[in-house]
Amino acid sequence: MNREYSPRPIVCAAAIALREEAVLLVRRGHEPLKGYWSFPGGAQEPGETSRECALREVREETGLTVELLDLVEVVDLVHYDDAGALQYQYVTVDYLARMAPGVPTKPIPADDAGAAAWVPLADVTRYPLAPPTGETLEKAIILWRQRSTDSA
């Protein structure tokens, strides 16, 4: 399916995986926003739930296995071309995630990810982030810390 100039929005899901004051990010290998860093995620397949999509995309883009925790946000990305035509429209369901216990934690970029890394939260602003990755990450960190406080 051609995602450019699609007659309808494309539904996607992503995982915001956090551990030890770091977030899992991938560098986008394709347009839109090629070269920018964001959470591993992608388009939902027919018959797949958004949760299944987020888990699959993390595996495909990083080789890692995560557990989804909470819904963080639903993000609309609407991009128009220079002539004003709707070029891309994505609706992404972003989930808070953590590493599954007992599995490798070193990301290996694959699929359409140009790179994958655990980025220290203190260094995130040094990366060119796809909008609105920074704002969504802030919401995820609040949820993450709230969960940690609730379980203590």
Side-chain angles (χ1 to χ4, degrees):
M1 175 174 96
N2 186 4
R3 295 179 182 177
E4 196 172 18
Y5 301 103
S6 174
R8 62 184 49 91
I10 297 166
V11 179
C12 301
I16 306 168
L18 295 167
R19 74 171 181 87
E20 301 171 11
E21 293 298 310
V23 62
L24 181 62
L25 295 179
V26 295
R27 189 175 62 226
R28 299 181 54 81
H30 300 291
E31 294 296 346
L33 303 170
K34 180 179 179 179
Y36 285 87
W37 290 78
S38 63
F39 313 117
Q44 191 172 349
E45 295 178 354
E48 182 178 57
T49 68
S50 61
R51 286 179 162 276
E52 291 167 340
C53 175
L55 293 171
R56 174 183 53 78
E57 286 289 341
V58 171
R59 278 190 314 274
E60 288 179 0
E61 293 185 351
T62 70
L64 299 179
T65 301
V66 299
E67 294 178 344
L68 301 181
L69 302 172
D70 298 310
L71 174 67
V72 175
E73 185 163 46
V74 176
V75 174
D76 291 292
L77 174 66
V78 180
H79 179 79
Y80 294 91
D81 67 15
D82 292 339
L86 180 60
Q87 187 174 10
Y88 297 102
Q89 183 174 5
Y90 294 97
V91 178
T92 303
V93 181
D94 285 323
Y95 290 100
L96 179 63
R98 67 177 172 212
M99 287 301 303
V103 298
T105 59
K106 181 177 167 77
I108 300 169
D111 195 27
D112 62 351
W118 285 104
V119 176
L121 296 178
D123 295 339
V124 166
T125 57
R126 296 180 186 168
Y127 287 70
L129 299 177
T133 301
E135 294 86 350
T136 306
L137 176 58
E138 289 175 15
K139 292 178 182 180
I141 291 168
I142 291 168
L143 276 175
W144 179 260
R145 291 184 175 149
Q146 185 177 22
R147 285 181 68 86
S148 297
T149 303
D150 292 346
S151 64

